[in-house]
């Protein structure tokens, strides 16, 4: 499957209630918290992340089948909903990429590593809270 991406295109109009109070405009409306909705958002916003999503979805399905529990599927959907919430906003996505780079490259005992880990935690928590407020 070939995925075309036109990130430079004019952002889609935001769905009602999907523009945060700070006035930032998302690149795409907030998708439904479903595999189809999240996949569709990734196709548009970050197609390079689709293989990771597909792999994690397969792992979640296998764990759910093995254990008979729905928790792996719920955790998968929640995690990707948070990821999509972050990448809907270019400034937030850039902050996350920068923090992830620092975590990968700085020594684990460096203050910059701890600062970057805190930034990742804070960005994910803010995205989770935004999803809870919808």
């Amino acid at each position: 499957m070939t995925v075309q991406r036109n990130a430079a295109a004019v952002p889609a109009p935001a769905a009602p209630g999907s523009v945060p109070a700070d006035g930032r405009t998302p690149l795409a409306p907030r998708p439904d918290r479903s595999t189809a909705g999240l996949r569709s958002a990734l196709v548009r916003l970050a197609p390079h992340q689709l293989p990771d999503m597909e792999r994690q979805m397969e792992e979640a399905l296998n764990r759910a089948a093995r254990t008979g529990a729905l928790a792996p599927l719920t955790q998968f959907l929640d995690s990707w909903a948070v990821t999509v919430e972050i990448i809907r906003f270019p400034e937030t996505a850039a902050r996350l990429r920068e923090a992830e780079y620092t975590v990968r490259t700085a020594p684990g005992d460096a203050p910059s590593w701890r600062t970057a880990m805190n930034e990742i935690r804070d960005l994910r928590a803010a995205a989770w809270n935004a999803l809870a407020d919808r």
Side-chain angles (χ1 to χ4, degrees):
M1 172 172 91
T2 301
V3 176
Q4 291 182 328
R5 181 172 181 224
N6 190 358
V10 175
S18 66
V19 177
D22 65 7
R24 295 175 304 139
T25 302
L27 292 175
R30 181 178 289 141
D32 291 332
R33 199 179 302 189
S34 66
T35 55
L38 296 169
R39 183 181 293 118
S40 177
L42 282 179
V43 164
R44 178 151 192 258
L45 298 169
H48 64 280
Q49 291 190 15
L50 283 170
D52 285 339
M53 181 191 180
E54 297 293 336
R55 179 184 50 76
Q56 290 177 18
M57 183 172 61
E58 185 69 24
E59 291 170 1
L61 286 168
N62 287 336
R63 277 194 314 273
R66 203 172 42 251
T67 63
L70 293 177
L73 299 173
T74 303
Q75 291 166 352
F76 163 80
L77 291 172
D78 289 346
S79 176
W80 280 97
V82 165
T83 297
V84 168
E85 185 66 17
I86 290 169
I87 64 174
R88 289 175 57 233
F89 300 93
E91 312 84 19
T92 307
R95 287 173 53 200
L96 179 64
R97 283 191 306 273
E98 183 178 329
E100 288 174 337
Y101 176 79
T102 300
V103 166
R104 284 191 312 274
T105 59
D109 58 352
S112 61
W113 185 88
R114 174 53 45 206
T115 300
M117 288 297 292
N118 289 339
E119 176 78 345
I120 293 168
R121 182 201 62 222
D122 293 346
L123 290 170
R124 292 191 62 81
W128 180 255
N129 290 336
L131 291 168
D133 290 342
R134 61 191 290 200

